[in-house]
Amino acid sequence: MLKALFIVFIFSVSVTYAQGPVQVSGKITDESGKPVSFASVFIKDTNISTMANETGNYRILLKPGNYILTCRYVGFKSIEKEVNVQSSLVLNLTLEEDIYKLKEVSVTAGKNDAANSIVRSVISRRKFLRAVPSYQCDVYTKGIQKLLDAPKRILGTNVARTLNLDSNRQGILYQSETKSKFFFRYPQKKEVMEASKVAGDNQGFSFNRALDLQVNFYDNTLNWPALGNQSFVSPVAYNAFNYYRFKLIGSSQENGKTIQKIKVIPKSRFSPAFSGYIYVLEDDPRLYSVDLMLTEHARINFVDTLHISQHFSEIGDMHWLPSDITIRFNGKVLGFNFAGYYTALYSNYKTDPVLPDDFFDEEILKIDTSANKYNDTWWANNRPVPLTREEEDNYEQHDAMGDAQKTRAYQDSVQKELNKFRPLRYIVAGQRIENVSENSFWYVYPLHSTIFYNTVEGWGLRLRARYVKRFSPYRSLEAEPNIRYGFSSEVMNANAEITYRTDSLRHTSFTVRGGSDFLDLNNRGTINLFYNTLTTIFEGKNYLKLYQAKFLSLSGQREVADGLMFTAGAEIARRFPLQNSSSNPVFRKTAETITSNNPLSPGFETEVFPVNNSLSIEAKISYTFGQQYTSMPDGKIFEPARYPTIMIDYRKGIPRILKSAVDYDFISADLFQDKIRTALWGYSSFYLSAGKFLNTSSLYFPDWHHFTGNQTAVYNPLFPNFHFLDYYAFATNDRFFEAHYEHNFSGRFIRKVPLLRKLKLEEIIGGAYLTQPQNNYKEAYIGFQRLMFRIDYGFSWTPGREMYRAFRLFYGF
């Protein structure tokens, strides 16, 4: 009998331990039955947690046993449920709105004074709270972007068909999930993405990263580059009282802790500040949760509202760390009404982990090679937050489409639709011709870059196309043939450029160019053919000066170490001077101001250099200090530079070999950085360059050092271009120094002007300086920018000339 009982006991224990995790699931609603989206659900005294999805449904896997399940969300009373888990369990939860009561002392002291005292306590500990402890954890992220409404057609294209929307022009545009390991040691962060799933792309990798959802309100300012250049003041920043008023709503008890609810009110609705609520622990002043919002009045771009909900959980007995965060947004742009969210769930925290000394390096994100290989079954078993019905349908629809897309018939039909010739689209943006089965495409440049006029060639045609073929994630081929004919010069040029990219991880590529072409005498480039056509015809200003070259060049580049890039090349060319062949533009009244093709002698048609052969070599090496990057299985992506880049350039003209007539040595050094953030003051950019010809035994005008100038009202503000500098007059065959500086205030002053702040303009100031033995040049400008539009007004000074002043306009991307 005893033996039988012992066997039964051993069997029952074995069954219990052999039993796998059991699912506890349900729906979280408020008292009215409305779903509470993204509510936190966790098991007390463990690292096990989850959160509700958008429709309030949650799911959590537990081994058989007794647990205390806790559910919380900002604005509601947290609840605890004792559960005995032996088999699958459905447990619906109802959250009651939390009632925050004011203490008598708070009422006596005043709600604002009490709130200010609490916030000051958190601010006094801000540096400590943002920096400790170091930790590692698991992070699950999910991103959803959906269209709620859209135009029927754009440039003749059916929007609903192209974006796979329903009959109401609604649908999910982007859906993705990731599972990562996240590591933190202030101020360093690192993410290892172990699994990634993207709807409609089983070979792709997610754009949502745990790194991008690291919102630390203990920092003074927060910034989301995707929403514009504006930074936003944290409610617990050191200067928070300059931007906020605070009001104590009351306090509530949760798990034996007193939580104080404080209303956050911007002093001005147009200031870069949040509105909403923060929840603070009373006995240990720190954030318990936040429920904050940004609106378009705070100068966010592309979206109208941004809503952030973040919770913290106690890890051990000492630390409070993020348990989850959800960022929701909505907006309307160009007739597209959209909404979506990004959410992150943190679990399995380990504080103060032992990591190798070199663990935190410049690689901030590593995407595992097998991250996109996990199937639906794996995700169903490992996804901590359940999908909504809409999200499940979207995956199923894209999976079905993915199977269909593999068929030749489908690829042919898609290819036929994509390759339809649409005149308006071609005129504005060009024509793309896909070959889906071959993983390649042709791109034909638009009409406005095909027809041109200049005084050397007269009216002309430039037939240019680009071919791209992708062999593997690492290797690709790009080719660009170019045929150009001038009806007045009666000269046809033909050339091609071919680039073979062999290793996208190290940005390794080789390029060969050859043929004949009419080239700009300024080797840095000046005005494009389209704008030169307009200025020549309508203003009689033929800015572009050309020469002909028959050439062959080879070049290559490779990142030899993190942040260290090496480029080298050689070119052999036979170069011919050119003269104007057409001085009769469409409007004869503009012919009086036409100049010669010689920028050194604009009043006379003389040759700027004799016919010559040129053999030259060039090598560049650049290093970006602290260059951070993301490692993907198919390449490396550089993050925005935190520190300056230094670049050394050496160029040599080699005499006698292949009858080369050039003999010179040139060296230069550049130091530059773009978008150095200055918190609420916007960002700055600078560029310094100095160089010298060490040897000038024999060289010609195309070999001189040229500068990126501008002489037209419509310009490209790509930093560091000069705004008003003559395209050719300052070229030098000696030494030079140039400096550029620009600062974007991100609307710091404009937002204080009632009639202008709704335009969300950004104020810009800048200037540049150039010196060389023959001349000096200075310029300064102010400007205003809004997305794709920018207008500047500035001044330039050149010795011996009157001060020049003009407007500059830019529109585009």
Side-chain angles (χ1 to χ4, degrees):
M1 180 66 179
L2 183 61
K3 183 177 179 180
L5 289 174
F6 181 74
I7 292 173
V8 170
F9 172 76
I10 293 297
F11 177 77
S12 62
V13 170
S14 301
V15 169
T16 299
Y17 276 94
Q19 187 174 347
V22 176
Q23 176 175 288
V24 177
S25 63
K27 188 164 188 172
I28 303 170
T29 59
D30 62 15
E31 293 174 287
S32 67
K34 183 180 177 180
V36 180
S37 304
F38 311 113
S40 297
V41 179
F42 54 93
I43 303 303
K44 193 172 182 179
D45 300 325
T46 73
N47 257 326
I48 303 171
S49 63
T50 186
M51 66 190 304
N53 62 20
E54 194 175 11
T55 57
N57 291 292
Y58 77 95
R59 174 187 91 134
I60 195 165
L61 297 177
L62 301 170
K63 293 181 179 179
N66 296 314
Y67 300 95
I68 298 178
L69 184 146
T70 302
C71 179
R72 59 181 274 218
Y73 191 70
V74 287
F76 294 91
K77 292 181 181 179
S78 65
I79 58 173
E80 291 187 350
K81 294 283 187 181
E82 292 187 8
V83 292
N84 178 265
V85 178
Q86 299 300 329
S87 60
S88 294
L89 176 66
V90 175
L91 181 64
N92 295 322
L93 303 171
T94 301
L95 297 181
E96 300 178 11
E97 185 176 350
D98 205 351
I99 305 299
Y100 287 83
K101 298 180 179 180
L102 283 170
K103 296 181 181 179
E104 183 176 345
V105 65
S106 299
V107 175
T108 304
K111 298 177 184 179
N112 292 347
D113 291 343
N116 292 346
S117 176
I118 295 168
V119 172
R120 285 193 179 97
S121 296
V122 178
I123 292 174
S124 68
R125 306 176 68 222
R126 181 181 58 81
K127 291 184 179 180
F128 164 76
L129 294 172
R130 76 178 181 179
V132 294
S134 60
Y135 63 81
Q136 72 177 62
C137 65
D138 295 334
V139 186
Y140 167 80
T141 75
K142 181 164 68 173
I144 298 290
Q145 297 177 21
K146 60 177 73 173
L147 272 181
L148 307 180
D149 192 17
K152 291 183 178 180
R153 290 185 175 274
I154 292 181
L155 294 178
T157 301
N158 186 305
V159 173
R161 183 185 303 166
T162 302
L163 299 180
N164 193 34
L165 306 177
D166 63 20
S167 59
N168 296 317
R169 297 191 298 282
Q170 297 179 349
I172 295 178
L173 292 179
Y174 173 79
Q175 178 177 339
S176 177
E177 304 169 271
T178 69
K179 294 199 74 175
S180 300
K181 293 284 187 184
F182 189 79
F183 304 86
F184 174 86
R185 184 176 66 196
Y186 186 82
Q188 298 161 307
K189 304 170 187 175
K190 187 168 186 174
E191 178 182 357
V192 179
M193 188 182 294
E194 299 176 323
S196 169
K197 182 176 177 62
V198 182
D201 186 1
N202 58 14
Q203 296 300 315
F205 297 97
S206 176
F207 290 114
N208 39 291
R209 317 182 302 177
L211 284 166
D212 295 330
L213 294 172
Q214 281 286 299
V215 179
N216 191 341
F217 282 98
Y218 296 121
D219 289 333
N220 288 316
T221 59
L222 297 97
N223 173 266
W224 292 273
L227 301 183
N229 298 317
Q230 178 70 62
S231 293
F232 305 96
V233 181
S234 167
V236 293
Y238 78 96
N239 59 344
F241 287 96
N242 294 336
Y243 295 89
Y244 294 101
R245 291 185 293 110
F246 300 98
K247 180 180 179 181
L248 179 62
I249 302 301
S251 61
S252 178
Q253 294 292 317
E254 286 193 14
N255 300 320
K257 301 182 185 299
T258 301
I259 312 299
Q260 296 162 317
K261 181 179 182 179
I262 299 172
K263 188 173 184 179
V264 175
I265 309 165
K267 286 187 173 181
S268 168
R269 66 173 180 160
F270 294 100
S271 64
F274 298 87
S275 60
Y277 299 92
I278 58 174
Y279 299 78
V280 178
L281 287 168
E282 181 180 56
D283 297 330
D284 181 13
R286 64 171 74 234
L287 295 175
Y288 179 72
S289 57
V290 302
D291 187 22
L292 297 170
M293 179 180 291
L294 290 171
T295 70
E296 59 180 344
H297 296 303
R299 299 177 59 86
I300 53 178
N301 289 324
F302 305 111
V303 303
D304 295 333
T305 62
L306 188 78
H307 185 194
I308 302 175
S309 299
Q310 186 178 36
H311 299 94
F312 295 84
S313 293
E314 190 172 18
I315 307 300
D317 297 324
M318 297 177 57
H319 308 303
W320 286 81
L321 296 172
S323 61
D324 59 78
I325 183 171
T326 300
I327 301 177
R328 287 174 281 181
F329 57 88
N330 62 67
K332 190 172 184 178
V333 177
L334 300 175
F336 289 89
N337 190 1
F338 61 90
Y341 67 86
Y342 286 88
T343 188
L345 173 69
Y346 303 86
S347 61
N348 297 325
Y349 273 105
K350 294 181 181 178
T351 57
D352 298 316
V354 177
L355 300 171
D357 293 337
D358 59 350
F359 180 80
F360 290 100
D361 52 15
E362 307 309 332
E363 182 188 53
I364 63 171
L365 171 60
K366 179 180 177 62
I367 300 179
D368 194 274
T369 55
S370 61
N372 59 359
K373 307 303 182 186
Y374 295 96
N375 59 26
D376 292 342
T377 302
W378 186 92
W379 278 101
N381 294 329
N382 290 275
R383 177 186 294 119
V385 180
L387 300 175
T388 65
R389 182 69 258 176
E390 182 185 23
E391 292 163 0
E392 289 178 355
D393 291 344
N394 187 57
Y395 271 143
E396 291 174 4
Q397 182 181 10
H398 279 92
D399 288 344
M401 288 178 59
D403 294 336
Q405 288 170 358
K406 295 176 184 178
T407 66
R408 185 59 181 265
Y410 180 86
Q411 292 178 354
D412 289 344
S413 66
V414 170
Q415 185 172 296
K416 183 178 180 180
E417 179 66 24
L418 291 173
N419 296 344
K420 280 183 180 178
F421 180 74
R422 294 182 171 88
L424 181 59
R425 184 177 65 182
Y426 165 67
I427 292 171
V428 175
Q431 176 72 29
R432 183 167 164 134
I433 304 170
E434 299 275 358
N435 189 328
V436 178
S437 61
E438 294 294 327
N439 201 17
S440 65
F441 69 87
W442 279 95
Y443 170 72
V444 180
Y445 285 82
L447 184 64
H448 64 74
S449 67
T450 301
I451 301 173
F452 65 87
Y453 176 88
N454 62 61
T455 53
V456 172
E457 299 170 274
W459 285 103
L461 292 175
R462 188 185 188 190
L463 305 177
R464 190 161 52 122
R466 182 166 170 257
Y467 173 75
V468 176
K469 166 71 175 177
R470 193 172 179 88
F471 299 104
S472 72
Y474 300 97
R475 296 186 302 115
S476 63
L477 178 72
E478 298 177 15
E480 187 166 304
N482 178 20
I483 298 175
R484 177 169 171 169
Y485 180 76
F487 291 96
S488 181
S489 63
E490 298 182 343
V491 174
M492 176 175 286
N493 288 291
N495 60 79
E497 178 179 305
I498 300 173
T499 298
Y500 181 48
R501 305 186 188 281
T502 62
D503 182 1
S504 56
L505 290 173
R506 282 297 180 184
H507 299 274
T508 305
S509 65
F510 300 94
T511 300
V512 56
R513 297 178 62 242
S516 66
D517 204 357
F518 281 0
L519 303 177
D520 196 329
L521 280 167
N522 182 331
N523 52 38
R524 298 282 290 274
T526 57
I527 183 173
N528 65 41
L529 287 174
F530 176 70
Y531 284 121
N532 185 72
T533 299
L534 297 180
T535 59
T536 304
I537 291 175
F538 295 106
E539 300 179 35
K541 295 179 179 179
N542 56 323
Y543 291 116
L544 186 61
K545 310 301 179 183
L546 302 167
Y547 73 99
Q548 186 182 33
K550 297 179 180 180
F551 60 92
L552 176 66
S553 69
L554 300 170
S555 62
Q557 71 168 25
R558 180 175 174 82
E559 186 188 27
V560 294
D562 291 339
L564 183 64
M565 186 73 73
F566 180 74
T567 304
E571 180 183 76
I572 179 70
R574 183 162 179 78
R575 304 182 296 192
F576 305 86
L578 297 172
Q579 296 183 1
N580 287 342
S581 63
S582 173
S583 58
N584 297 307
V586 173
F587 303 116
R588 286 187 174 276
K589 63 181 181 180
T590 63
E592 299 176 0
T593 55
I594 294 293
T595 58
S596 76
N597 191 54
N598 185 342
L600 303 180
S601 180
F604 303 94
E605 283 291 354
T606 57
E607 295 182 348
V608 68
F609 62 83
V611 176
N612 66 86
N613 288 351
S614 168
L615 174 62
S616 62
I617 59 173
E618 184 172 18
K620 290 183 182 180
I621 188 166
S622 65
Y623 180 69
T624 301
F625 296 89
Q627 176 64 74
Q628 294 183 327
Y629 61 92
T630 292
S631 293
M632 302 180 66
D634 58 350
K636 177 189 288 188
I637 300 175
F638 292 128
E639 301 290 327
R642 299 174 298 158
Y643 304 108
T645 297
I646 186 170
M647 181 170 66
I648 306 296
D649 180 18
Y650 174 72
R651 180 161 50 93
K652 180 173 180 57
I654 301 174
R656 293 180 291 278
I657 300 176
L658 299 176
K659 298 182 180 180
S660 174
V662 295
D663 184 4
Y664 63 86
D665 293 88
F666 170 81
I667 190 168
S668 67
D670 299 355
L671 182 69
F672 55 90
Q673 187 176 358
D674 193 27
K675 293 191 175 181
I676 306 167
R677 293 212 164 269
T678 54
L680 297 179
W681 288 93
Y683 62 84
S684 292
S685 301
F686 76 89
Y687 184 95
L688 305 174
S689 181
K692 180 178 175 58
F693 281 88
L694 307 176
N695 161 38
T696 57
S697 298
S698 177
L699 73 163
Y700 304 96
F701 193 69
D703 304 314
W704 292 19
H705 184 80
H706 294 259
F707 303 94
T708 307
N710 178 68
Q711 294 178 258
T712 64
V714 179
Y715 81 118
N716 185 351
L718 183 67
F719 190 80
N721 292 357
F722 287 98
H723 278 48
F724 314 105
L725 183 72
D726 186 288
Y727 292 125
Y728 305 96
F730 286 81
T732 182
N733 61 354
D734 199 335
R735 63 185 183 275
F736 74 93
F737 172 75
E738 67 174 304
H740 301 258
Y741 176 78
E742 185 173 283
H743 186 84
N744 184 322
F745 287 97
S746 298
R748 185 174 179 87
F749 303 109
I750 288 290
R751 68 169 176 259
K752 298 179 181 179
V753 183
L755 296 179
L756 295 179
R757 57 192 172 198
K758 289 186 178 181
L759 299 176
K760 297 184 182 180
L761 297 175
E762 300 173 0
E763 321 91 326
I764 298 168
I765 62 170
Y769 174 74
L770 170 64
T771 181
Q772 45 106 313
Q774 291 76 35
N775 226 331
N776 294 324
Y777 172 87
K778 292 177 286 185
E779 70 178 30
Y781 54 88
I782 60 173
F784 299 96
Q785 176 177 293
R786 172 74 171 116
L787 298 178
M788 65 186 74
F789 299 98
R790 174 169 166 174
I791 185 170
D792 292 353
Y793 181 73
F795 312 84
S796 67
W797 298 268
T798 304
R801 299 182 185 178
E802 293 185 2
M803 180 179 66
Y804 177 79
R805 57 176 65 88
F807 282 97
R808 292 291 183 258
L809 174 68
F810 171 79
Y811 61 93
F813 293 98

